[in-house]
């Protein structure tokens, strides 16, 4: 369809705020590359940038925003509370705001449902859990420091625990999860949709050296449509109903990933990508002190 403007598309959250459908991801971006990638992205037209305290690049993201010349009020900025800061939520947001050089973020996410002990990352805090963390995050509402709060890497089991707890007064606005055709998570996406939780897909291109780039079905479709495999994967995610945050630091790829206007995948092409049978996860939970995926993230 010639008139499709995917880069102008937004998704309305349960708070009424509108999150841009495409953003720039910054996970695994090397130091000294992030600021330029953010600047290039914003100057290209992106209006959504995703970072996290754990990425160690919030300062550079803030730098890139300033250097872009794009007013802060026009940018959707997401950051995340690190696992070792669960019992210090206010300190966590203050640290992020200081690094980013901004007064507020549009979305503040609990990065993982793991309250990791800062003195020993192989251990979980004995007297804390993600339900208590969420109770603290709820207190940030109305402070002006966060416009929306949400979660990340929550499967159905942990969402049920959170939503059914009496302390949970605010349904998360977003659940940021790994989403690509080899990890499509239909049950989890359906669950979130039913609860009014918007999904953002990370590793939406399958991450660095993605096996997806060797997938014959995807490559053939890209060739037929005259698009890059990355552009097809982004269009697939947006047409499936979630926002996407492709990560790149190369100016050419950052710009190319944004060139998704004026066309869309047909229903049969979406179904063809839905039908890819290979399965892999970029991000598991074996490095955490607790399991967070129980097959309910599928």
């Amino acid at each position: 369809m010639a008139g499709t403007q995917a880069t102008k598309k937004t998704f309305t959250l349960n708070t009424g705020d509108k999150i841009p459908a495409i953003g720039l991801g910054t996970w695994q971006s090397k130091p000294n590359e992030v600021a330029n990638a953010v600047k290039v992205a914003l100057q290209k037209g992106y209006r959504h940038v995703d970072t996290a305290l754990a990425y160690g690049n919030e300062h550079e993201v803030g730098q890139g925003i300033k250097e872009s010349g794009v007013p802060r009020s026009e940018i959707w900025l997401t950051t995340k509370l690190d696992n070792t800061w669960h019992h210090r939520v206010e300190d966590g947001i203050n640290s992020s705001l200081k690094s980013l050089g901004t007064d507020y973020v549009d979305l503040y996410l609990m990065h993982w449902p793991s309250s990791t002990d800062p003195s020993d990352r192989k251990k979980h805090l004995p007297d804390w859990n993600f339900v208590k963390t969420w109770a603290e995050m709820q207190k940030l509402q109305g402070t002006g420091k966060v416009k929306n709060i949400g979660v990340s890497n929550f499967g159905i089991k942990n969402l049920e625990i959170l939503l059914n707890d009496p302390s949970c007064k605010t349904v998360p606005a977003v659940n940021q999860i790994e989403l690509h055709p080899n990890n499509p998570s239909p049950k989890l996406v359906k669950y979130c949709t039913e609860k009014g939780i918007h999904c953002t897909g990370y590793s939406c291109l399958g991450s660095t050296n993605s096996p997806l780039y060797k997938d014959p079905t995807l490559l053939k479709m890209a060739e037929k449509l005259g698009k890059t495999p990355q552009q097809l994967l982004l269009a697939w995610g947006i047409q499936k109903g979630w926002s996407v945050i492709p990560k790149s630091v190369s100016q050419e790829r950052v710009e190319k990933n944004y060139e998704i206007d004026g066309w869309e995948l047909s229903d049969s092409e979406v179904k063809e990508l839905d039908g890819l049978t290979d399965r892999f996860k970029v991000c598991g939970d074996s490095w955490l002190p607790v399991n967070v995926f129980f097959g309910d993230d599928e």
Side-chain angles (χ1 to χ4, degrees):
M1 201 162 74
T4 307
Q5 294 287 305
T7 61
K8 301 286 179 288
K9 185 175 172 62
T10 58
F11 293 102
T12 305
L13 305 181
N14 58 23
T15 58
D17 281 359
K18 295 178 189 309
I19 188 170
I22 182 168
L24 179 75
T26 60
W27 179 45
Q28 293 183 323
S29 295
K30 291 181 187 131
N32 307 319
E33 294 180 333
V34 180
N36 190 55
V38 170
K39 177 182 156 186
V40 164
L42 292 170
Q43 289 178 344
K44 177 71 175 175
Y46 286 74
R47 288 297 178 267
H48 174 180
V49 180
D50 181 273
T51 183
L53 194 152
Y55 301 167
N57 61 20
E58 288 173 315
H59 176 70
E60 274 197 63
V61 168
Q63 213 180 319
I65 289 172
K66 284 186 187 69
E67 288 172 8
S68 74
V70 176
R72 170 68 186 91
S73 58
E74 289 181 19
I75 301 163
W76 181 282
L77 182 56
T78 297
T79 194
K80 309 178 193 82
L81 177 75
D82 195 13
N83 305 343
T84 53
W85 294 65
H86 274 209
H87 56 312
R88 299 171 54 202
V89 169
E90 199 174 354
D91 290 344
I93 185 64
N94 289 341
S95 171
S96 287
L97 293 177
K98 188 179 175 189
S99 298
L100 288 162
T102 187
D103 297 330
Y104 73 96
V105 290
D106 298 271
L107 178 61
Y108 194 47
L109 301 176
M110 189 189 320
H111 205 154
W112 290 87
S114 170
S115 306
T116 304
D117 186 338
S119 61
D120 183 353
R121 287 168 181 259
K122 294 192 179 90
K123 290 182 181 164
H124 192 276
L125 287 171
D127 55 350
W128 202 266
N129 59 30
F130 62 77
V131 173
K132 288 184 178 180
T133 307
W134 188 248
E136 292 301 306
M137 286 180 71
Q138 289 177 139
K139 292 177 188 173
L140 296 177
Q141 298 172 111
T143 62
K145 294 177 181 181
V146 302
K147 291 200 170 180
N148 299 274
I149 55 173
V151 296
S152 181
N153 297 300
F154 270 63
I156 295 171
K157 180 180 173 181
N158 282 336
L159 282 170
E160 288 272 85
I161 292 168
L162 181 63
L163 296 174
N164 290 325
D165 194 273
S167 68
C168 180
K169 310 294 183 200
T170 303
V171 174
V174 170
N175 186 17
Q176 187 180 120
I177 52 179
E178 180 176 342
L179 285 170
H180 49 77
N182 289 160
N183 192 69
S185 306
K187 287 179 195 159
L188 178 53
V189 171
K190 182 171 182 279
Y191 178 89
C192 288
T193 304
E194 285 167 357
K195 299 292 181 185
I197 302 169
H198 171 74
C199 291
T200 294
Y202 74 75
S203 295
C204 47
L205 305 176
S207 204
T208 315
N209 303 319
S210 168
L212 275 164
Y213 301 158
K214 297 189 182 99
D215 188 282
T217 305
L218 179 66
L219 295 178
K220 196 171 154 193
M221 192 185 294
E223 194 179 352
K224 183 183 86 173
L225 297 175
K227 305 294 173 192
T228 67
Q230 290 90 339
Q231 288 169 332
L232 260 60
L233 293 168
L234 297 174
W236 176 80
I238 292 169
Q239 287 177 231
K240 294 284 284 182
W242 52 79
S243 47
V244 291
I245 44 169
K247 168 256 163 179
S248 183
V249 291
S250 138
Q251 177 163 350
E252 185 190 0
R253 282 197 297 272
V254 167
E255 292 180 345
K256 207 86 180 140
N257 287 345
Y258 197 70
E259 291 164 12
I260 51 174
D261 287 344
W263 61 280
E264 66 178 3
L265 298 170
S266 67
D267 289 349
S268 65
E269 286 161 348
V270 170
K271 283 199 178 71
E272 210 177 331
L273 294 179
D274 286 347
L276 299 187
T277 52
D278 287 351
R279 290 288 175 265
F280 73 86
K281 276 178 81 71
V282 172
C283 217
D285 61 5
S286 59
W287 60 282
L288 291 167
V290 289
N291 289 116
V292 301
F293 299 135
F294 309 96
D296 57 344
D297 54 317
E298 290 163 6

